[in-house]
Every structure is written in structure tokens, then in C-alpha cells.
Amino acid sequence: MEWMLSQSTIFQLCLVVATCLAFQGALAAEFDMVDGLVPGQKMIMIRGPIEPGDDVTFYELAQQAERASVFLESPGGNVDAGISIGAEIAIRDFTTLVLDGEGCHSICAVIWVSGVRRYMSPDADISVHAAFVSYTHLTLPT
């Protein structure tokens, strides 16, 4: 079933997200789940750096929601955890959303793209860069 969000619905959604995030300070990813705007729908919020193990936290929340929109605000972080979160979003046909704020960068942008429906506010900041592996402890043969 295809559905569209009206301006009023997007505004209400923004108010729900802003209210839930107003009292949070983020050093690591914070997860929260609230009721959505329609019965049976949930809003899962991810805010802060994506760390190893955050995919498990997301999976546990996703298990509680048949339908969900995922609000993202993250500088990025662990690629493996982010790919797992994105895969879970795609498998479950969840919607993703980025609003004005701190933005959605690096692996967060990959998570956002994983949504079956993707929304962003006009002033949302979404950016990507190449992933890398640091070989600081690599010993080369001489």
C-alpha cells in the first residue's frame, strides 16, 4: 500500500521527534521508540554515533514494530553495525527520515538510503564519504 505524508502529518511527526529528543545529550547512539501518528505504527529514533552492538539494540526495537519510521541524526560510526541496521530496515520495509539538526553523515546516510520510503526536510544535511580501514599495526615483510 502506497501512502503519502501531508504537510500537517510531517509537522506533527517533527513535533514528536523534537519532543523526544529535546532532553537528550548524545555521546553514543541513543535509541528510543514511541508510538507513531497512526495506530500500529512506531517511530524509532537513532541519535549519535553508531557503535558496535547498536545493530543488536536496533533489532530488539524493530522486533516490537510491525510498521515503523526511523528518524536518523548521526555523524556516522561503525560500518558493520550501520550496514546491519540498514539491512534490517530494508528487510522490514521501514521508512527513514532525516530532519533539520545535526545531520546524517557517513554510515548514517547508508542507513537512510535503506528505507523503502525516504524523507528529508528541505534543510536536512546528509553526506557520505568512502569507508576506510586503518592498518596502523600492519607489519610488512622486508
Side-chain angles (χ1 to χ4, degrees):
M1 171 196 312
E2 188 67 30
W3 53 279
M4 300 294 291
L5 295 177
S6 68
Q7 277 188 309
S8 173
T9 302
I10 291 173
F11 178 74
Q12 290 173 343
L13 187 58
C14 291
L15 285 177
V16 169
V17 170
T19 301
C20 292
L21 297 177
F23 302 106
Q24 298 181 12
L27 294 177
E30 296 180 19
F31 292 80
D32 197 12
M33 185 164 66
V34 297
D35 289 333
L37 299 175
V38 295
Q41 183 183 26
K42 299 290 185 182
M43 170 64 75
I44 300 172
M45 289 165 277
I46 303 174
R47 186 177 188 200
I50 305 298
E51 301 291 341
D54 284 347
D55 51 337
V56 175
T57 302
F58 181 81
Y59 176 79
E60 291 169 354
L61 286 174
Q63 285 288 92
Q64 302 172 42
E66 183 175 325
R67 289 179 39 204
S69 294
V70 180
F71 166 78
L72 300 160
E73 188 174 87
S74 172
N78 183 270
V79 173
D80 291 336
I83 289 172
S84 293
I85 291 169
E88 196 65 36
I89 288 170
I91 289 167
R92 294 177 181 273
D93 291 332
F94 285 173
T95 296
T96 52
L97 172 70
V98 176
L99 301 175
D100 302 351
E102 297 299 313
C104 180
H105 309 284
S106 190
I107 196 65
C108 179
V110 174
I111 295 170
W112 176 70
V113 168
S114 300
V116 66
R117 287 172 297 281
R118 296 166 297 280
Y119 297 99
M120 60 184 284
S121 66
D123 294 324
D125 186 13
I126 301 172
S127 65
V128 296
H129 63 88
F132 67 92
V133 176
S134 176
Y135 293 105
T136 57
H137 296 91
L138 180 65
T139 304
L140 297 174
T142 54

